[in-house]
Amino acid sequence: MQQKDSWLLPEGIEEVLPEDAKHLESLRRKILDMFACWGYELVIPPFIDYLDSLLTGSGHDLELQTFKLTDQISGEMLGVRADMTPQVARIDAHNLQHEWPTRLCYVGTILHTRGDPLEKTRSPMQIGAELYGHAGKESDVEVIRLMLEMLAMTGLQDVHLDLGHVGIYRALSRQAGLSDAQETDLFDVLQRKARPELQELMAELDIESPLKAMLLKLPELNGGRDTINKAREVLSGANDQVKQALADLEAVAEKLTACFPSLPISFDLSELRGYHYHTGVVFAAFVPTVGREIARGGRYDNIGAIFGRARSATGFSADLKVLSTLSKSTYQGELRALIFAPCVDDGELKQKIRDLRAQGQAVVQQLPGQVGNAEQLGCTSILEKDNQNWVVKALV
């Protein structure tokens, strides 16, 4: 049997080398500091959790993406988190139990059993923010603004925002009296935007002609601002829930335009990302150089119920590794001074090194027999003895 090279990593699992790690960590700190300025408090959910807790709400869509194992202590089924949102919802509902709106943020590695078709990694570093306890469109606007500010901080250009509302399809399905199986079949066809299949499916369904016509037109309701007016005409026979959803989408877009006048906004009323999880407005951010969204989110008002306290909720998440890679071309790294200290057994030198490090300066001390001088190690200055004192001198 051929021995596997010990330096190989599993498919979709990668390591981050020093220069990239430095940039990623710098970006992580800046984003979390910005979240804090908006009042979002950091929480750190566990990497492994009970499977039932991970597969609530959005978790049902992630069951095939979750690594499962048996706890040797309790015998219970555990899972490695594939999404941190259910865990953060539990923290809000069960641990904090605030009566007022709660703003939480998080960052950490998640693990998927399979890589995304466009993004092969199976270990994204998920970063995001959630706002609990407010049902109005103002909280939707806030989290979208926060997401856009996060993307602006990374230096990304030409960000495009896509808006949708899963309540429109949900309300039309109920108005048409579709069974769960019919609703699932129609959902699958709409997600794939397979219009011939959609026409075949509509022909088989025994529903009223006006509703059939509205469902057939749903994939065509995408594009710029005129999409809302077109949708009002096409969906004029829909119930009040659909009309309210359209009004909410228009109001959210207007508020965002007031904050970001040059932001391109489009609408897609057949985009049902996270349908079994989201309950209202959904959104995603795109850039021209990437063939998929770089951040996404939406409203999910029912997730806390399983933890004993359902609260209105909205939020977003992104892969920090992706953001770091995309922003690397615009990254102006901090040229931090690195001081070289010689290999000398001197008490005063040791104290000087200790003092410099206490001041936040980086000092690397030469080891006995070490290969590599100060310049080769990337040092910008060196500690030398001058009149009985150790002083820092710049390398020429």
Side-chain angles (χ1 to χ4, degrees), residues 41-57:
E41 298 179 288
L42 179 66
V43 293
I44 305 176
F47 189 60
I48 296 177
D49 210 330
Y50 285 117
L51 193 60
D52 290 343
S53 295
L54 294 175
L55 301 185
T56 59

Side-chain angles (χ1 to χ4, degrees), residues 260-273:
F260 307 96
S262 61
L263 174 69
I265 299 177
S266 63
F267 301 87
D268 188 346
L269 303 191
S270 65
E271 175 53 64
L272 302 173
R273 64 177 72 90

Side-chain angles (χ1 to χ4, degrees), residues 34-175:
M34 187 197 71
F35 287 172
C37 290
W38 283 57
Y40 286 76
E41 298 179 288
L42 179 66
V43 293
I44 305 176
F47 189 60
I48 296 177
D49 210 330
Y50 285 117
L51 193 60
D52 290 343
S53 295
L54 294 175
L55 301 185
T56 59
S58 66
H60 290 298
D61 292 335
L62 292 171
E63 184 167 4
L64 293 178
Q65 284 282 46
T66 302
F67 279 95
K68 304 173 181 68
L69 60 153
T70 302
D71 185 2
Q72 297 299 311
I73 296 177
S74 66
E76 297 281 348
M77 285 298 296
L78 304 181
V80 179
R81 65 188 183 198
D83 183 3
M84 296 172 72
T85 309
Q87 297 177 298
V88 179
R90 178 184 59 200
I91 290 174
D92 169 71
H94 182 71
N95 298 87
L96 299 181
Q97 299 185 4
H98 293 160
E99 296 300 328
W100 51 88
T102 303
R103 294 170 171 85
L104 301 175
C105 63
Y106 56 89
V107 61
T109 298
I110 57 177
L111 190 63
H112 292 163
T113 58
R114 297 181 178 89
D116 184 274
L118 296 177
E119 185 62 42
K120 299 301 183 182
T121 182
R122 293 194 292 161
S123 59
M125 185 173 287
Q126 189 180 28
I127 188 165
E130 318 289 335
L131 199 166
Y132 299 95
H134 188 271
K137 52 186 172 291
E138 294 80 8
S139 50
D140 292 315
V141 172
E142 177 175 317
V143 296
I144 295 173
R145 286 178 58 203
L146 183 61
M147 179 188 73
L148 293 171
E149 294 287 359
M150 176 191 74
L151 297 177
M153 176 173 286
T154 66
L156 297 179
Q157 303 294 320
D158 300 323
V159 174
H160 173 98
L161 181 68
D162 187 61
L163 292 174
H165 199 302
V166 299
I168 293 174
Y169 172 69
R170 200 183 302 275
L172 288 174
S173 298
R174 291 172 181 169
Q175 190 175 348

